[in-house]
């Protein structure tokens, strides 16, 4: 059997799909992780603290495959993993869509001079140029018609411009 050491946080999502040939051990603390790491052939040691995670990697002398959802793994002893012949998979690109959406939002914010919209809102003023329009809408009722399946939309649109 292949011994896997995994975070207990992923247990409900992962355990039902593990093949019988995997002997899974789930850790709930750093102490448990460090105790189990030397026996791991497969390791998924993700923690919110990088140093104990790196220490677990150092302790996992028999690990053949290391997985992480982290995109950047430069805090780990990568030279040691390479020397041991450990395969590494990680979460590079896992947040690419969210980051792309955020970048586009920022570009639109600048292109449409959104600061002007916020300043007008603070003064309770309507802008008649494109910076003051919500999509193709020029007033709260038009916006509410676009969102008619949402009952509070007209009130929400009105309160936005108060």
């Amino acid at each position: 059997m292949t011994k896997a050491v995994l975070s207990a946080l992923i247990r409900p999502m992962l355990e039902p799909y593990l093949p019988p040939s995997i002997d899974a051990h789930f850790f709930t603390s750093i102490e448990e992780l460090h105790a189990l790491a030397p026996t791991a052939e497969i390791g998924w040691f993700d923690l919110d603290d990088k140093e104990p995670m790196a220490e677990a990697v150092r302790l996992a002398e028999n690990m053949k495959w290391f997985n992480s959802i982290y995109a950047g793994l430069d805090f780990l002893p990568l030279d040691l993993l390479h020397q041991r012949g450990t395969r590494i998979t990680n979460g590079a690109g896992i947040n690419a869509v969210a980051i792309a959406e955020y970048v586009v939002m920022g570009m639109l914010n600048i292109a449409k001079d959104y600061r002007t919209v916020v300043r007008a809102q603070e003064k309770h003023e309507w802008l008649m140029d494109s910076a003051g329009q919500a999509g193709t809408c020029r007033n709260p009722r038009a916006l509410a018609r676009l969102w008619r399946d949402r009952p509070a939309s007209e009130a929400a649109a009105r309160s936005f411009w108060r």
Side-chain angles (χ1 to χ4, degrees):
M1 284 192 122
T2 301
K3 186 165 185 180
V5 175
L6 312 156
S7 170
L9 294 173
I10 60 168
R11 187 176 197 158
M13 296 173 281
L14 187 63
E15 193 171 37
Y17 303 101
L18 292 174
S21 60
I22 299 292
D23 180 19
H25 295 263
F26 296 92
F27 63 88
T28 59
S29 67
I30 292 170
E31 295 76 25
E32 278 185 283
L33 169 59
H34 288 170
L36 290 168
T39 63
E41 293 174 79
I42 298 172
W44 191 347
F45 302 160
D46 286 351
L47 297 169
D48 58 356
D49 190 354
K50 293 177 180 178
E51 185 47 46
M53 190 172 156
E55 179 60 24
V57 168
R58 285 190 280 280
L59 292 168
E61 295 179 6
N62 300 311
M63 188 164 52
K64 295 175 177 58
W65 176 27
F66 175 76
N67 180 65
S68 175
I69 61 168
Y70 284 106
L73 298 176
D74 53 332
F75 65 93
L76 294 175
L78 296 175
D79 54 338
L80 183 61
L81 288 169
H82 179 71
Q83 180 184 9
R84 292 175 179 169
T86 305
R87 292 188 182 266
I88 302 170
T89 54
N90 69 337
I94 198 167
N95 295 313
V97 171
I99 291 168
E101 289 173 348
Y102 186 81
V103 168
V104 169
M105 179 200 62
M107 291 167 50
L108 289 170
N109 193 326
I110 292 165
K112 291 291 190 176
D113 192 21
Y114 191 67
R115 289 178 299 179
T116 302
V117 175
V118 173
R119 286 188 191 112
Q121 177 192 7
E122 289 170 351
K123 294 185 227 172
H124 307 285
E125 296 176 354
W126 282 98
L127 297 176
M128 301 319 266
D129 61 358
S130 63
Q133 296 176 12
T136 58
C137 301
R138 292 184 185 267
N139 64 54
R141 283 201 179 117
L143 186 57
R145 280 193 298 277
L146 287 174
W147 293 340
R148 99 182 69 199
D149 59 331
R150 297 183 183 148
S153 58
E154 187 171 349
R158 283 180 195 273
S159 67
F160 177 79
W161 292 106
R162 285 193 186 142

